[in-house]
Amino acid sequence: MLDVIIALVPALLVSVTFFGWNALRLTLACVITCLAAEALSRKAMGRNLGIDDLSAVITGMLLAFNLPPTLPTWMAVVGSVFAIVICKQLFGGIGYNPFNPALAGRVMLLISFPVFMTRWSEWTIPSPIGMDAVTSATPLGLVKTAVTSTGALPFTFDGATMLQLLVGNQNGCIGEVSAAALLLGGIYLLIRRCITWHIPVAYLATVAIFSGILWIHHPQQNLPPHFHLLSGGLMLGAIFMATDMVTSPVTKRGMLVFGGGCGILTVLIRKWGGYPEGVSFAILLMNAITPLINRATRPRVFGAPKGGKKQA
Amino acid sequence: MGFIKAKYNAPGGVHPAYHKDLAAEQPIVEMPLPASLVVSMSQHLGKPATPTVKKGDSVLRGQVIGESAGFISAAVHAPTSGTVKLVAPVATAAGPQATAITIEPDGEDTWVEGISPCPNWQALGKKEIVEKIAAAGITGMGGAGFPTHVKVSPPPETEIDTLILNGAECEPYLTADYRLMVEKAAEIWQGALIIAKALDAKTIYVAIEDNKPQAIAAMQEALPAEAGDAQVVELKTEYPQGAEKQQIFAVTGREVPAGGLPLNVGIVVENVGTTLAVWDAVVNGRPLTERVTTVTGGPVAKPGNVLARLGTTTADMVEFCGGTSGAVAKIISGGPMMGFAQADMSGPTTKTTSGLLLLGPESVHAYESMPCISCGRCVGVCPMNLMPNELSQFLEAEDYETAEEYNVMDCIECGCCAFECPAHRPLVQHMRRGKTQVMINRRNQ
């Protein structure tokens, strides 16, 4: 678990660089609330305290990373309590929650406080997507608004824009902006064997292929696949959220199916959904069918007849 | 010539630290007779042998002191000449009690009369070979201890085309089979030819992991002309390559059907130590009274490969290896993956004691079992493609019926799942308990 925290540090550093105090404020609020909620609810349920597995710290960090920089602290606290108490401990604690607690917390906040959850900080960034001065929406948000109202993309894509997205100089939730920092953390997780490549690669590849088909079909109205990959919460989701062991399949084939499903749903929501971003919903929906995926991808027992009789 | 690399690899597997360097380069040394030998009647899979001597009797080396008690059973012989001091139950390495005969050696080591060497074994018929193996009380010496005479006399309608000698020795620390292959390659090949004749097997393979190049070279060099197209097969080093079903797949690509036996796919697998014992029994006429055991681990002063009489206690073996230097936190009979932890060093060696492993406090950790976090590592490493995560939860809930439905009986108890589990769940222990309970439930139906 400590490894996951270490892997999140680059993204945290980028976040503090770009969002300053707000990034620290939200991260601390979520981590402290998650730890307290975990300890108190375990105590109330008569279980041993068990916060030393650090899983509550990870939930707190991931929830904070999924919040916009100007969100009031008390909302972050509410989201954290919801994530830990309702989504994790009431299901039995670590290992028993069907949904990723941090994502469930974020989606609860998004539905309950839609204005605050989509109010992006008004901070000046040096032309991340071809516009100067003040930015008031995420790149994906701009695209959604523009495509819905005018039927065309609001800007063009060049190498410089891509570099800004990669570094993280874009608007968005505090932990999702820097694809590079998140990838660095992902590589660390792979090396430390905390995750396997199956889910992130299947997820990202599916997004790239699906959005690529749309883009080739109609480049005026659809984002190019590299923009999809580098914007919004995709990297954070694919590397840190979809790979949550508890809520993702246990078989390798299942992980590929899971990642692929997340990818398709993400593009579907980004393209046709009401929200500009679909990573959270995509992963939560796939969490819901994880037990079915496990069942469907059960390996053939060594020595059992091929193709024929399936296990149980 | 005579060498191929395995074309297949069974599912799963893990790579534990091997620690074989502790004893690998120590040649086999014969241990002098200890002050007493405790000979268990349960040295094999199946019914314990029936004692045929009583307290006060004098016995000679090779004399039957325990009769085979059924079809799946094996005779036990006196490991040396001397006097029976005690006939009483002693705990076996795995735990349950079995009658054991304590012998005080007279130091003469006199063989019983009637030991008849047969250098010209080629003249023997299949039936005679099987009889000699049965009379010698040979059992599988790799670990499970299945009576060898049963294995080499398959039902007449079964056709066996292939014999595989198991020299994988995939358990960490153990080097006894390795030393046998390096030092006794020619004799092992003769044993293989004898078994192949009993089985009418046309092809012989010797399966060895690629971390034992010296053994591979020795077996290849000693390959006799009569062995025809026999091959030394190099396996990728990975635990459990020595597991029978996994090895058969690696060598031949054949899958033993779930719940079936190797003979269902025309194959018999014999450990190299067992094969050497067969050679000794048939060619020299000597029953099984000794074996090579690796005595190793951090606290052992001089780790080595010891040829000792069956019934030598762990304490005597360790004493012979220079005693201990440093604290002993765990005593294991066998290897660290599938061996049995022992309460003390009083237990005797048997035909299946491939190793005695002492671990210091730095190598022994106590863990608290945490809830499963569904990481799926156990699923990835299970060589039987089971899902130990689910099974352990069914078994924790004592739901044996569901566990059976989800194939708990196919578990080979290799321990890869527990080795890999980041939540330190005692997965293989759940499986063992579950399998036992399912067997009990079946019997009671």
Side-chain angles (χ1 to χ4, degrees), chain B residues 98-136:
Chain B
T99 307
I101 294 167
T102 304
I103 295 170
E104 188 180 84
D106 58 14
E108 302 293 320
D109 205 25
T110 319
W111 278 93
V112 70
E113 272 177 41
I115 297 289
S116 53
C118 178
N120 186 25
W121 62 265
Q122 285 85 349
L124 295 173
K126 285 161 70 169
K127 213 174 147 218
E128 288 162 297
I129 293 174
V130 174
E131 276 167 7
K132 279 179 183 287
I133 291 172

Side-chain angles (χ1 to χ4, degrees), chain B residues 373-396:
Chain B
I373 52 166
S374 306
C375 65
R377 283 195 197 172
C378 56
V379 180
V381 300
C382 178
M384 292 304 291
N385 275 342
L386 301 177
M387 293 178 72
N389 57 328
E390 288 180 347
L391 285 170
S392 76
Q393 283 168 331
F394 297 141
L395 293 168
E396 258 176 346

Side-chain angles (χ1 to χ4, degrees), chain B residues 247-265:
Chain B
Q247 185 167 89
I248 288 171
F249 182 74
V251 173
T252 66
R254 296 182 207 173
E255 270 186 47
V256 178
L261 292 169
L263 58 84
N264 297 133
V265 290

